[in-house]
Every structure is written in C-alpha cells, then in structure tokens.
Amino acid sequence: MEHEESNRSEFLVFPLSQVRKEGYKVTRKAPPSATDWSRRATRTQRGILDGSLGHYKGKAVPKGGCSAFAAQTLMKGTKPHRIRIEGMSITHDASATPDGIIDTVLSVMRYSTAVKSDSDERVKGVKGKWSSCMRKAGFQYASPQAAANDSRWSKGNVPTRLETSVAVADMQCKKKVRYLDTLVDVQSEYERNAIAEQSATLASLQSDAKVWLSNAKDEVNKQPATKRD
C-alpha cells in the first residue's frame, strides 16, 4: 500500500509535506559526500594515488599508483574476466577495484531493468492515467519526468507557487493512480529475472568477494601494531 509520505526519489516520488515547501527543488538535492578528501588532496597526493607521479622522495610509485597496487593486492587469487550484461561489457581486470566491479555490475543491471520497465505496457498505462489526472488538475504533462524537468523550475533557488502546485498535484495523482505500486511491482519483476539470468556472474562475484575480504584481513594483520601510551 502506497503511503502518503513515500520517499522514492528513483521514481520521482516524494513526501507531500516536502514538495509543498520545496517543489521540484527536492529532486536536485545532492547526496551527502562520504568524504571531502578529493577536495583537500594536494596534486602530489593525487599523483601518488593514481600513478601520474612516477617517483616520490626517491622511491618509485607503483604502476597505476597506490590505488592500483591496493586493488591488485586485494584481488590476489581471483582471475580477471569479462562480464556481459544486456550487450554491455564490463572488464574485470587487474586495474579494477573490488568495490568498483560489484558496483558497476549492479548499476548496469539496475539500468537495464529500469529501461525494460519504462517500456513495459503496464508502466506506460499508469503514466497515461497519471497524465490524465494531471490534466484534470489543470496541468499538461506527458510524463512525471516532464513535470519534474520543466525548464521553469530551474530559475532561482526558491520554488514558485506554480512549481509547488504542480509538484503537489503530481504526488497526489501518483497516489491516486497507484503509480509507485505499479513501478515497484514491474521493476521488481524485471530485477528478479535479471538476477536469475546473471546468477552465475553474481555467484562468481560473491565467491571473489570472500577472497578479497580474506586478503584485506591478511594485509591488516601484517601492519605493525600501533603503540599506545
């Protein structure tokens, strides 16, 4: 059952209480950054990390930098291979990081299922119902994306009364036609199919992840203990 205060940004569904105040500005909020290291790092630090700096204080920087060296150390004992998903090829080689490989595979799977879901007749049907609901509210939009990306909303940081009115009608119509329920059901169906189709790939990555974790623990255990007072 869809709740009035649903917050599913991937489907452009936000709480009514939020869009009443922020309109579609809520869709452009940047996620919090995990670290600000990239902003504070010096050119030398970046060079050591990515390998663009060949030497540092008389010592050779590993080929590909410390990032590649760490990835190769963590991935010791697993074989590079090429993963194909829906015609897209993902290279799993010595320069790839373990988390990067897994994130890329999952991102490609999510993208391919989202594309299929968007072309599904059930999704097209509920978008048509949403558009009809919006017309009755006095707004002409072919899709929720068209409403959220209306060029008028990009002017200024404070939403206009029109923007908040459209955003509120948008959320109300989505709730009325069970938009979120339909999209979640359809996309979940495609995701289950994708998981079944890529079961061998996912099993391989799961097996590799155990090796990578073991390698990480071994490296941590090799580090000298920190002296305490």
Side-chain angles (χ1 to χ4, degrees):
M1 179 67 68
E2 194 173 313
H3 193 275
E4 182 182 355
E5 292 296 297
S6 292
N7 190 348
R8 296 294 296 270
S9 59
E10 68 271 34
F11 297 121
L12 296 177
V13 174
F14 303 94
L16 271 173
S17 57
Q18 201 167 0
V19 297
R20 281 193 179 104
K21 295 178 181 178
E22 303 176 47
Y24 289 106
K25 301 293 186 288
V26 66
T27 68
R28 294 189 285 280
K29 282 190 172 181
S33 175
T35 176
D36 63 351
W37 184 88
S38 60
R39 294 197 305 273
R40 296 185 291 107
T42 65
R43 185 175 181 180
T44 298
Q45 288 172 325
R46 293 193 184 95
I48 294 172
L49 188 67
D50 63 22
S52 58
L53 186 68
H55 291 79
Y56 179 69
K57 291 187 177 181
K59 294 183 178 181
V61 174
K63 184 179 180 181
C66 292
S67 180
F69 178 78
Q72 291 163 20
T73 302
L74 291 175
M75 295 173 68
K76 181 175 58 181
T78 58
K79 295 180 180 180
H81 55 273
R82 190 177 296 275
I83 301 167
R84 295 191 66 81
I85 301 175
E86 296 292 332
M88 289 175 273
S89 182
I90 303 168
T91 302
H92 168 182
D93 58 21
S95 66
T97 59
D99 60 336
I101 294 165
I102 294 173
D103 285 349
T104 300
V105 168
L106 294 180
S107 293
V108 170
M109 289 178 67
R110 279 194 292 265
Y111 173 76
S112 65
T113 57
V115 170
K116 289 179 178 179
S117 175
D118 198 50
S119 300
D120 190 283
E121 291 303 320
R122 291 166 291 181
V123 172
K124 289 181 179 179
V126 80
K127 285 185 177 181
K129 292 177 181 178
W130 172 90
S131 185
S132 177
C133 178
M134 289 293 282
R135 281 197 300 274
K136 291 177 182 177
F139 307 113
Q140 296 279 343
Y141 290 103
S143 69
Q145 290 77 10
N149 296 324
D150 191 317
S151 61
R152 291 175 293 180
W153 314 152
S154 62
K155 299 173 183 177
N157 296 320
V158 179
T160 62
R161 182 175 296 181
L162 175 60
E163 179 180 343
T164 55
S165 296
V166 172
V168 167
D170 179 358
M171 300 309 131
Q172 290 174 334
C173 283
K174 282 172 178 165
K175 186 172 187 294
K176 183 176 181 179
V177 303
R178 298 179 64 81
Y179 174 86
L180 181 59
D181 291 340
T182 301
L183 264 66
V184 168
D185 287 346
V186 173
Q187 186 150 330
S188 295
E189 179 182 312
Y190 283 111
E191 287 175 353
R192 286 192 294 270
N193 292 338
I195 290 170
E197 291 169 2
Q198 297 297 329
S199 59
T201 295
L202 295 174
S204 176
L205 287 174
Q206 188 175 40
S207 177
D208 285 351
K210 292 179 181 179
V211 177
W212 300 334
L213 181 59
S214 177
N215 289 341
K217 288 180 178 177
D218 289 344
E219 289 302 314
V220 170
N221 290 335
K222 288 179 185 178
Q223 303 304 313
T226 302
K227 292 182 179 182
R228 296 182 179 179
D229 294 334

